[in-house]
Amino acid sequence: MKYYIKTFGCQMNFNDSERIKGMLQTLGYQEAKDWKEADIILINTCTIREKPDQKVFSHLGEYKKLKEQNPKALIGVCGCLAQRMGFELIQKSPVVDIMFSSFNMHQLPELIQQAQAGYKAVAILENPPDDEDKLWDYPTVRDNPYCAYVTVMKGCDKNCTYCVVPKTRGRQRSRSIESILKEVRDLVSDGVKEVHLLGQNVTAWGKDIGKHFSELLYRVAEIDKVERIRFTTGHPKDLDEGIAKAMGEVGKVCEHIHLPFQAGSDRILKLMDRGYTKEEYLEKISMLKEYVKGITFSTDVIVGFPTETEEDFEETLDVLKKVRFEQVFSFKFSPRPDTPAYSMEGQVPDQVKTQRMSRLLQLQKEIMGEVAKSYEGTLQEVLIESIEHGNKLIGRTRSNRWASMEGGVEMLGKVVKVKVIRSYPFNMECELV
Ligand code: SAM
Ligand code: SF4
């Protein structure tokens, strides 16, 4: 029996898919290279913007052909779109046999049994069930043997007015420190060198269980074989001095942070309910630079939030100029049903969003070109993750930049020192030293 999983969305969804693969392999399934060979197809969905929603339905249209060759094949939809749409999704696409949200992933084995017996197997709940921690008993199946994601919390307690996540993933639930450390120990004994702690608002980890995120950093770093630690996504409001201090003190924590600011205008930030001003965001950046020598930054930005004026947008560009991010993930505002921003007055026409977006991309392209140049001639530490054509090693620097260099297969999984010869916005050509 074979499975095929198609994943949309953020790293959390990718890590959920790795866990689902682990569950399916525990049940005796193997991964199919192509969906046409599969006995079960699952689409792990994202509904953060409108575009990923549409993609799910076009994939379902294609995958339903599987049932013509293999009438017993099962098709499932899970993740955020499943949670948001519920039964409406099955009504719209009756080819779906199994549907569950991120609250119910641990129920997949029962759902498969129900679907095999000919029923529509649906597990969508309003709130997370008490036994959702059963999920952590299953292994993950990863493509990268050296770097692994570890989900440390579910849900989000913020209420950003544009965002569906609190609805689709529920309130914040921090995973216990013991459960996280156990997974990290298992991963490193399996050869993993770098762990990437994941949560929608990872800097708030622990607030619901009387703990602080810095403690998690210190404790993960105590595990001998862990060589590098990263985390995503930080929220500026919860990023406090304790976290900055821990990042500086724990040598295993990489000098990089993804810290979305979303907008530069205080008026827009207020409408978004982000809980900070532009000035406060920039102060957090200064604090991080003070505690963490050489730290680099990446961010997320939303362009064209309702009522955004030219002056507001200029404030966003100003943050880009001041911080000089290594990378910016920019999104045109997409009104999501059941969020406050969906029905706000002053929706910005798509043409204006597109035009502002292209100006933002142009500015960021220039900044990234200059940032890239500043790496030339420097020494960097790279964890080698893969090899191409037998001698091209590929890895990431501590500052989260891709680097390639000549070398042999014996370097895979090793942390090496390199000199940067040429540097481009998304890649650097280096030499081993
Ligand atoms: N929790 C993270 C945070 O607070 O920054 C981000 C979570 S979200 C999966 C990733 C990014 O999608 C957000 O940072 C935001 O820039 C973008 N996003 C979320 N909702 C959006 C919407 N309705 N329209 C456009 N972009 C959106
Ligand atoms: Fe969404 Fe805001 Fe939570 Fe991020 S912090 S997941 S943007 S509600």
Side-chain angles (χ1 to χ4, degrees), residues 48-49 162 200 260 262 274 300 302 331-332 334 336:
I48 199 91
R49 288 170 290 276
Y162 51 81
Q200 288 296 349
Q262 312 296 3
R274 286 290 289 178
D300 292 346
I302 295 179
F331 310 100
K332 286 200 271 182
S334 173
R336 306 312 290 135

Side-chain angles (χ1 to χ4, degrees), residues 15 64 103 117 119 166 172 231 239 289 299 306 357 404 408 415:
N15 189 229
K64 75 175 178 202
F103 299 165
Y119 300 104
Q172 166 168 332
F231 58 87
L239 193 266
K289 283 184 179 168
T299 199
M357 179 70 111
S404 60
V415 173

Side-chain angles (χ1 to χ4, degrees), residues 367-380:
I367 294 173
M368 280 169 74
E370 289 162 17
V371 170
K373 277 275 163 267
S374 70
Y375 275 84
E376 290 186 356
T378 62
L379 293 179
Q380 300 288 327

Side-chain angles (χ1 to χ4, degrees), residues 377-412:
T378 62
L379 293 179
Q380 300 288 327
E381 221 181 79
V382 175
L383 168 61
I384 306 298
E385 295 183 26
S386 60
I387 185 162
E388 281 176 8
H389 316 298
N391 68 347
K392 187 181 172 191
L393 299 172
I394 298 173
R396 260 176 310 152
T397 62
R398 291 178 65 95
S399 60
N400 209 30
R401 290 179 77 80
W402 287 105
S404 60
M405 71 231 64
E406 272 192 19
V409 70
E410 70 286 355
M411 310 299 277
L412 279 172

